[in-house]
Every structure is written in structure tokens, then in C-alpha cells.
Amino acid sequence: MIKEIRFGEGACVSYFGSSGSCEKILFHNEVEIVQGSNSYPPIKGFSCLKSLNIPKRLKALAYCATDCHSLESIFIPESVESIGTILTNSAALKSLILPNSCNKITSQNIVTSCPSLKRIKFPKNPITVETTFGMLDRSYAIEEIDTSNFVVESLSNFMEYCSSLKEAIIPDGVTSIGAYCFRECRTLESVTIPASVETIGSSFLNGCCAIKQIIFKGTTPPTVTSTILSGAKNKGITVYVPEGSL
């Protein structure tokens, strides 16, 4: 029964998986992990794995692990500059910290189907986001998130089914909020929309039945569809706008 796997200096990891008994994987800092795919990530099916330390030589991290249901922590070193899909299908992961060296998010999903994830910390520096589609899909336990350092023009299907989220602040610079941005975020009470937003797509608060307030920072209202509150059953929604707004 394998409890621990070690990769020494010079090793190159492309794909290995389905070790139900292994609890720890140790990488030498000079190990190279080849970027995988959604179907074939480097680490798959390690159902007893509890922690994972990414080697310090990596500059890009994508499609790292899936079906590691006991994985509680991932350490991502300061060498990593670009991040894609890190983890899918882990019931135990509760927090995730992205290093300040990271300046780009390249994949539509950072994590998906991680129902215990409560906290994700983004870098303090500006981070370019290529797409937000499904970025934190089905992260049921997340209650708050700070995206103020995102550099992105459009949000779409951003935090669907994040059923513990209570407040959302759209980052400055976003010009378009696409459809279903916060679909089925059933505890979401407040959304703040910056002055840069020009358009809001259909059903962006679909199923947000606890929404109480929408705060617009701009004096000129964005173009909206008639269905932006589709499924938001709360009738007492307060909309705040700056003094002197059109």
C-alpha cells in the first residue's frame, strides 16, 4: 500500500493517477510538471491525498489535479506567473491562496466542484483575467471574494451556484456584465457595480432570491435587459445611484 510518492531532481511528470492509498506527494523544486488537459491532468484520482506542494521552478500552472477528494491544501510558490484550472472535484479543499507573482488567469475555471472552498485570496497586484466564464462554478461555501485587482473587461457566468456568497463587488474597469453572472447565488444580498459598466446582460442575478440592494457607482445608467432580475423573488430591492444621476 503506497502512502507517499517522491519525485527527485530532474523528474518530469506528465500524468499519473488512481492511487487510492497515497496521502502525500513530494516534488523536488526542480521537478517539471507538464501541463495536462481537463481529461488528463498530471494528478488524478488520488482520493487519500491531503496536501500538495507545487515545485518552485514552475512559471505556469494549469489542469493540475482532479478527483482528489481528500485534498485539503495546495501550496503554490511565488515562481508561478500564470494560472489556469488548478483543481476540480475536491470536497475537502477549504482555502486557496494565489501567489503575488501571479499576473494572469488563463482558464475559465480556477476551481470547480469544490463545495467546501470558503476562501480564495487573489494577488495584491493587478492580475489579467482572460475569461471569467465559470471561474468559481459551484463553490458553494464561498461567502466573500475580493476581485478589486482584476484587469478584465467582461464578466459572464462568473460565480454560478455560489450559494453562500453574500456580497459581490464588480471590479473597476469592467465594461460588460454578461448573462447569468451570479446565477443561483441564493444568499447574495448586495451587488456593487462600478461606473465603467456600460451593459448588463440578461438574468445576471437569476435565482438570487435574497438580493436586497444594487449599488451603481456611475451617474450614467448602463444599458440593461428587462430580465436582469429573473428569478430574484425578493420584491424589496433598493437601487442606489449617485446624486445627480441621469
Side-chain angles (χ1 to χ4, degrees), residues 15 18 69 86 88-89 98 119 122 131 150 168-169 171 175 177 179 187 197 199 218 222:
Y15 174 79
S18 301
H69 301 296
I86 298 173
T88 62
N89 298 331
L98 305 189
R119 175 176 176 260
F122 290 101
T131 176
F150 276 20
I169 300 176
T175 58
I177 301 176
T187 61
V197 171
T199 61

Side-chain angles (χ1 to χ4, degrees), residues 32-43:
E32 179 181 359
I33 297 181
V34 177
Q35 304 302 300
S37 66
N38 193 33
S39 299
Y40 294 100
I43 301 168

